[in-house]
Amino acid sequence: MPPMHRTLVWTGKGGTGKTTTVANTGPELARLGYSVLMVGFDPQADLESTFGIDEDDRDVIRVEQLLAGGIDPADAPIEIPVDGAPGRLRLLACSSDLHAATAAVARRGYQDLDRILSAFVDDVDLALIDTQGAMSPLSHTAARAADTVLFCMEPGFYEYRALGRRLAELDSIEREEGWTIAPLGVLFIRAAERSRHMREYRAHFQDEDAFGGESLYVFEAHTRQQNSVRDHPRLAQPTVLAEPASNVAADYRAFAAELVERIAATAQVPA
């Protein structure tokens, strides 16, 4: 694993499993022994709510408070306990107030989150960034802060179309602003292994001629339909967190191991 690797988890439309992927992959990476920082950069704040951090938790230092500077980012992350994990899991949280910072991050050149995350270079192995689905000043800022982008999606036409749009937008922004973000590949979620759609899309992404002139890596690991989830610690309502003993948690465990290998291969360093 390269030092402080930052991965944006994205696709380009709401409801494609970005938050679910971050919330379930983070703990599995910690179980593999890595120091992980989950970054909430979506004013919907679903990632935060998943871990019991709500809008009325006024003692939490939020990302939006760090954007203008003046607060040490190292004081902000919240420790997330993971049973039996030799690694460490933390959450850098936001709230709905992040939406008010949209104009400011654009005015400052979309570089605020990159600056914030630089404070963790010595004690974080991997940052997983959760942001808005559509391209916006906030998701632009999240992309600018990342080394790589992971696309997660259900096998479907609308998800496929949204992914194509995001790739085109990223390519345009990279050329215009002079920075790069490397695609890690595609993770299929909530899909049956023998699904005809998954087989067809897997083949399509790996066909250089069929998808934008360049193939996309497709992770061997994928996640099944998520039926066994943990309840919110306060509201006793289901969240997106898989029960550790469930088949879906095992899917994310396999994906986390493959993700580490893929990042190492992309960065050309040992895992």
Side-chain angles (χ1 to χ4, degrees):
M1 178 77 73
M4 182 52 180
H5 190 85
R6 309 167 183 180
T7 294
L8 171 65
V9 180
W10 212 24
T11 290
K13 65 186 293 290
T16 53
K18 299 179 297 297
T19 299
T20 301
T21 299
V22 172
N24 286 287
T25 304
E28 298 305 333
L29 288 166
R31 290 189 176 97
L32 290 174
Y34 294 100
S35 176
V36 182
L37 182 67
M38 300 180 295
V39 181
F41 208 67
D42 182 348
Q44 285 193 163
D46 289 337
L47 181 64
E48 290 74 8
S49 183
T50 294
F51 290 98
I53 301 158
D54 298 316
E55 294 282 313
D56 58 354
D57 291 327
R58 296 303 174 186
D59 56 336
V60 175
I61 300 174
R62 311 279 180 161
V63 173
E64 57 265 27
Q65 295 172 261
L66 303 176
L67 291 175
I71 301 175
D72 186 353
D75 295 333
I78 302 156
E79 293 284 344
I80 306 295
V82 181
D83 292 341
R88 185 183 190 188
L89 181 64
R90 288 175 290 172
L91 171 60
L92 186 58
C94 74
S95 73
S96 59
D97 291 341
L98 178 63
H99 183 74
T102 297
V105 297
R107 189 169 59 249
R108 290 192 289 263
Y110 310 101
Q111 298 183 59
D112 288 336
L113 187 59
D114 182 45
R115 171 183 54 80
I116 290 167
L117 294 183
S118 296
F120 301 98
V121 67
D122 293 327
D123 68 343
V124 169
D125 297 314
L126 178 61
L128 298 175
I129 306 170
D130 182 32
T131 192
Q132 294 176 315
M135 179 60 80
S136 69
L138 292 178
S139 55
H140 187 157
T141 301
R144 185 72 184 262
D147 302 302
T148 54
V149 54
L150 166 71
F151 297 107
C152 59
M153 61 177 284
E154 295 183 47
F157 171 74
Y158 298 113
E159 290 78 7
Y160 168 78
R161 185 174 63 177
L163 190 154
R165 287 173 177 167
R166 295 298 84 79
L167 281 170
E169 288 168 343
L170 282 174
D171 181 66
S172 175
I173 292 171
E174 287 175 299
R175 285 188 280 104
E176 182 178 326
E177 299 182 4
W179 53 273
T180 59
I181 181 171
L184 281 177
V186 177
L187 169 68
F188 287 121
I189 64 168
R190 299 191 285 260
E193 182 176 5
R194 300 185 186 279
S195 158
R196 176 178 62 84
H197 285 156
M198 192 165 82
R199 292 197 306 270
E200 290 176 353
Y201 279 112
R202 182 182 291 275
H204 198 57
F205 285 131
Q206 294 172 327
D207 183 345
E208 293 184 6
D209 294 330
F211 194 74
E214 185 173 346
S215 64
L216 275 175
Y217 178 84
V218 180
F219 284 84
E220 291 297 326
H222 71 280
T223 72
R224 286 164 275 193
Q225 286 290 344
Q226 195 158 329
N227 298 317
S228 180
V229 297
R230 281 182 272 179
D231 286 346
H232 189 284
R234 296 182 189 175
L235 304 178
Q237 297 294 320
T239 66
V240 299
L241 283 175
E243 288 286 0
S246 68
N247 288 333
V248 173
D251 293 339
Y252 280 108
R253 203 163 298 132
F255 167 66
E258 188 178 356
L259 177 64
V260 170
E261 294 176 357
R262 180 63 181 158
I263 290 172
T266 301
Q268 298 183 332
V269 300

